[in-house]
């Protein structure tokens, strides 16, 4: 969701970039869509807080991919967007971006309770409480955007909200107060999530060493470690400006290509890794996915005959 420098591409280059981005977006959301269908195909998953949090992460990734790809295409098709419409896109983009690391923290806490407090897990991590937690995530994710809107209402004239601008956060919220709000919220959010991941990882590690049966504890430790990897991928977008600064002096003649590659690396590819990191590692989920889609494929194949 970071803005990029205003660069003019040739028609062929712009078309190729848009085809790649849209194709990747469709492929990633198709894979994620299969996971969502698998989740709802078996009531067992909707009764487990672990799978509820996982599928919420997948859905937010799908929404973020949709918004990101739409905004990318708009930079070529319609560079200037009405401020009110832009507010909708930026709200969904920034909120889902904020929710992702918080959701990872929730998943780590759930694994911590399952391993370190197994007798209380079924009482604490109920589906109802999980859905309440998800609602809380959306409220927290929306607070930053609401604060930015309030700042803009106080600092910008009313005519600004009827104007047309490039649909990037720094054009929509240009004041220094908005930038300070963004920096503070991101630093607080990421620091909070890292503290939770490190704490839960250490506690699960100590529990694994003491446990007689180390299998589930070691698996939970690996899962939390993968949460950290996913969080690092989420944080790639924070270093996008520095990547531009470092690469520009060396690749001045290929700046548009470098911009495109950085966008792929920081905004698109990390969303592809979420289902690979979590879904494929879970044998129960993979088994249901194979059974559901194999069964439906066979039915569709038999129907015409």
């Amino acid at each position: 969701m970071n803005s990029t420098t205003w660069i003019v591409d040739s028609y062929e280059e712009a078309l190729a970039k848009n085809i790649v981005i849209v194709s990747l977006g469709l492929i990633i959301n198709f894979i994620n869509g299969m996971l969502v269908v698998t989740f709802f195909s078996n009531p067992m998953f909707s009764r487990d807080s672990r799978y509820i949090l996982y599928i919420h992460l997948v859905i937010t990734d799908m929404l973020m991919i949709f918004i990101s790809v739409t905004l990318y295409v708009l930079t070529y098709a319609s560079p200037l967007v009405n401020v009110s419409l832009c507010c909708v896109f930026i709200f969904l983009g920034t909120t889902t971006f904020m929710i992702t690391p918080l959701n990872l923290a929730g998943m780590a806490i759930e694994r911590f309770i399952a391993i370190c407090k197994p007798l209380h897990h079924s009482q604490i991590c109920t589906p109802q409480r999980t859905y309440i937690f998800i609602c809380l995530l959306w409220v927290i994710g929306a607070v930053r955007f609401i604060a930015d809107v309030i700042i803009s209402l106080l600092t910008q004239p009313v005519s600004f909200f009827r104007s047309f601008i490039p649909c990037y956060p720094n054009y929509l919220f240009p004041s220094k107060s908005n930038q300070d709000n963004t920096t503070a919220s991101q630093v607080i959010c990421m620091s909070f999530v890292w503290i939770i991941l490190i704490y839960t990882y250490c506690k699960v590690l100590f529990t694994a060493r003491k446990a007689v049966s180390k299998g589930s504890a070691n698996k939970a430790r690996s899962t939390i470690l993968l949460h950290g990897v996913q969080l690092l991928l989420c944080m790639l977008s924070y270093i996008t400006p520095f990547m531009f600064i470092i690469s520009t002096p060396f690749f001045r003649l290929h700046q548009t290509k470098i911009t495109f590659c950085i966008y792929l690396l920081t905004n698109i590819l990390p969303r592809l890794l979420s289902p690979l990191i979590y879904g494929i590692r879970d044998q129960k989920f993979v088994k249901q996915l194979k059974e559901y889609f194999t069964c439906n494929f066979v039915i569709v194949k038999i129907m015409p005959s």
Side-chain angles (χ1 to χ4, degrees):
M1 301 308 299
N2 292 296
S3 64
T4 59
T5 52
W6 197 261
I7 301 170
V8 178
D9 293 324
S10 65
Y11 174 79
E12 293 78 9
E13 186 176 349
L15 180 62
K17 288 179 179 178
N18 278 274
I19 290 174
V20 170
I21 291 296
V22 172
S23 298
L24 280 175
L26 290 174
I27 291 170
I28 294 171
N29 273 356
F30 176 76
I31 295 171
N32 286 337
M34 290 175 64
L35 298 174
V36 173
V37 171
T38 302
F39 173 84
F40 287 107
S41 69
N42 193 330
M44 171 190 66
F45 296 128
S46 62
R47 294 193 293 266
D48 191 323
S49 58
R50 176 188 177 188
Y51 293 107
I52 295 172
L53 288 172
Y54 167 66
I55 211 64
H56 177 250
L57 180 68
V58 172
I59 292 171
T60 54
D61 276 352
M62 290 178 69
L63 186 56
M64 190 184 299
I65 281 287
F66 172 75
I67 295 299
S68 183
V69 170
T70 301
L71 288 177
Y72 188 88
V73 173
L74 278 176
T75 60
Y76 291 93
S78 179
L80 299 181
V81 179
N82 180 267
V83 169
S84 299
L85 178 60
C86 184
C87 279
V88 176
F89 286 127
I90 299 301
F91 167 73
L92 292 173
T94 56
T95 302
T96 51
F97 181 80
M98 183 72 74
I99 285 174
T100 297
L102 295 174
N103 199 108
L104 290 171
M107 294 170 72
I109 293 172
E110 188 276 331
R111 286 294 84 198
F112 160 74
I113 297 172
I115 300 302
C116 300
K117 310 283 184 182
L119 298 178
H120 303 286
H121 181 264
S122 60
Q123 299 170 347
I124 297 174
C125 300
T126 63
Q128 292 79 11
R129 289 183 177 180
T130 305
Y131 289 124
I132 292 172
F133 174 74
I134 289 172
C135 291
L136 183 62
L137 292 186
W138 279 91
V139 171
I140 294 172
V143 165
R144 169 188 154 190
F145 180 83
I146 294 171
D148 280 331
V149 170
I150 292 173
I151 292 171
S152 293
L153 288 172
L154 295 175
T155 58
Q156 300 292 335
V158 178
S159 59
F160 172 76
F161 295 94
R162 294 192 295 269
S163 63
F164 289 79
I165 60 170
C167 195
Y168 295 115
N170 60 339
Y171 284 97
L172 184 62
F173 304 120
S175 72
K176 187 177 183 302
S177 298
N178 289 121
Q179 296 171 10
D180 292 340
N181 175 51
T182 299
T183 302
S185 61
Q186 290 178 347
V187 169
I188 292 171
C189 175
M190 289 300 171
S191 300
F192 175 72
V193 173
W194 274 116
I195 289 171
I196 289 178
L197 290 183
I198 293 171
Y199 175 78
T200 53
Y201 179 82
C202 291
K203 294 293 287 184
V204 170
L205 178 63
F206 293 145
T207 302
R209 288 179 176 177
K210 297 177 183 178
V212 176
S213 176
K214 300 179 182 293
S216 60
N218 286 332
K219 187 175 181 180
R221 186 186 64 184
S222 300
T223 300
I224 294 174
L225 192 61
L226 287 173
H227 292 339
V229 172
Q230 179 67 1
L231 187 59
L232 286 173
L233 292 172
C234 292
M235 294 178 69
L236 280 176
S237 60
Y238 293 149
I239 64 173
T240 300
F242 301 103
M243 295 173 73
F244 282 127
I245 292 171
I246 294 171
S247 63
T248 299
F250 299 100
F251 304 99
R252 289 187 181 278
L253 298 179
H254 304 283
Q255 192 174 357
T256 58
K257 295 180 178 65
I258 295 300
T259 302
F260 175 72
C261 291
I262 291 175
Y263 173 76
L264 277 181
L265 179 65
T266 60
N267 287 273
I268 301 298
L269 294 183
R271 310 303 156 196
L272 175 61
L273 295 176
S274 287
L276 299 179
I277 286 177
Y278 305 115
I280 295 178
R281 288 181 69 248
D282 191 288
Q283 296 178 358
K284 194 186 301 182
F285 202 87
V286 171
K287 181 182 178 182
Q288 175 65 22
L289 187 148
K290 289 180 179 178
E291 289 179 354
Y292 179 81
F293 284 98
T294 302
C295 178
N296 280 274
F297 176 76
V298 171
I299 292 173
V300 170
K301 194 173 182 179
I302 292 175
M303 281 288 286
S305 61

